Structure formats: C-alpha cells, structure tokens
Amino acid sequence: MAARKPKKAAVLKEGDKLPRFSLPADDGSVVSSDSLKGRSTVIYFYPKDDTTGCTKEACEFRDAFPRFSQTDARIIGVSPDSVASHVKFKAKYALPFQLLADEKHSLADSFGVWKEKSMYGRKFMGVERTTVIVDAEGRIARIFPKVSVAGHVAEVEDTLRELARANATG
C-alpha cells in the first residue's frame, strides 16, 4: 500500500499565525496552540525517536536547555512517534522538554514538513527536519527548513536573542 501524500495546504511562512492544534505529550498532558501563547516556543520537527540524527539533535537541545531559559523560550520536539515511544526516548536521554506525538502527522502536514523522502532508492513519507520559533503572541517568528543538525541549536539560540533584542527596541 502506498504512503499517503500530504494534503496540499498553504505553506506557512514567517509572520503567519500558528495553526490550531492539540497533541498528546510524553508527560500525559495535551499541548495545544492556545497553551503556547504568552511565551516564545521552539518547535522542532524530527523524523524518529532514537535514531542517530534525531538523538543528536535532541541531546543538543537538552545540553543547551539551561541557556534557553535565559531567553524565556520553551522547547518542544514533535515527531510521528507514539507517546510510549517518546516516554522511552525522553527517559533514555534525560530530555528536559516535552515531546509531542503527531502520529497522524496533522501538525507536520500543516507546516508542510510531512514530505516524500527517498532512501536507498525507496520512496516513503516522513518528516523533513524543520525548526520553528513561535513568538509569545502565537505568530511564526522564524522557520529553519531542512535542518542540518550540526550547529543548529546554536543558530536557534542566536536567533532567539536577536528576536528578543528586536522586540525590546521595536
């Protein structure tokens, strides 16, 4: 059976309002777009728990976590894995932030990051590694498409500081 192609939706861009969503988190809570207002949020979409690149990215966000509190930004990871998978992944690597289960990839679809991919000549649908910074008002402040893990977390930190300076002077 062929993988389902994503719905053609308007591509979100910087300045757009965060799409409405509600997803289960690894801690048993439900996180919604409304619950994110009032504080900047880094949402990073990743393909799969406990794989090499995804583990490296999660651990880099983990290691930088204390510095993110200086920017008053929360971090949230999103993948199509189940809550149970997230619980194991979070415990194994002591991740101090929430992981959301987007099993039907509805949030990934709305951001246009659920895409056809190819590996070893096989085509399949999956998450294109992407990070989004959402401001305290619920607007998309920055999008980092097709993320390369090396150096990415530092780039996100720098961008958060830049946005905070711009907001303070704006």
Side-chain angles (χ1 to χ4, degrees):
M1 180 177 187
R4 181 176 77 82
K5 293 220 181 211
K7 295 176 218 147
K8 286 287 183 192
V11 175
L12 292 170
K13 58 191 179 307
E14 293 174 6
D16 287 351
K17 192 174 177 188
L18 180 68
R20 294 190 61 76
F21 73 90
S22 182
L23 292 173
D26 61 274
D27 61 5
S29 68
V30 173
V31 175
S32 70
S33 46
D34 290 338
S35 70
L36 300 183
K37 288 185 180 164
R39 189 171 164 201
S40 294
T41 304
V42 174
I43 301 173
Y44 78 95
F45 290 92
Y46 65 99
K48 187 157 182 53
D49 289 341
D50 219 6
T51 57
T52 306
C54 297
T55 298
K56 182 171 175 37
E57 183 178 28
C59 290
E60 287 187 13
F61 272 114
R62 176 201 63 205
D63 296 346
F65 190 76
R67 295 189 306 275
F68 276 91
S69 65
Q70 296 167 3
T71 65
D72 195 36
R74 84 186 103 215
I75 301 168
I76 295 175
V78 179
S79 84
D81 294 300
S82 68
V83 169
S85 176
H86 284 337
V87 168
K88 288 181 200 166
F89 184 51
K90 184 173 182 169
K92 184 174 181 179
Y93 295 100
L95 304 177
F97 46 82
Q98 289 179 308
L99 300 176
L100 305 186
D102 189 16
E103 291 184 88
K104 294 181 180 172
H105 46 82
S106 57
L107 189 57
D109 272 338
S110 67
F111 272 96
V113 302
W114 184 256
K115 299 193 171 192
E116 186 173 79
K117 298 168 85 174
S118 181
M119 188 183 297
Y120 307 117
R122 186 178 75 86
K123 292 191 182 302
F124 61 96
M125 297 302 295
V127 170
E128 180 178 85
R129 193 180 308 278
T130 302
T131 299
V132 178
I133 297 176
V134 180
D135 69 18
E137 286 76 46
R139 297 219 169 266
I140 299 168
R142 195 66 46 95
I143 299 172
F144 301 87
K146 300 179 184 175
V147 167
S148 174
V149 174
H152 177 61
V153 171
E155 182 182 23
V156 171
E157 287 181 81
D158 290 344
T159 301
L160 282 167
R161 282 193 276 285
E162 212 176 271
L163 291 169
R165 278 193 299 277
N167 287 339
T169 60

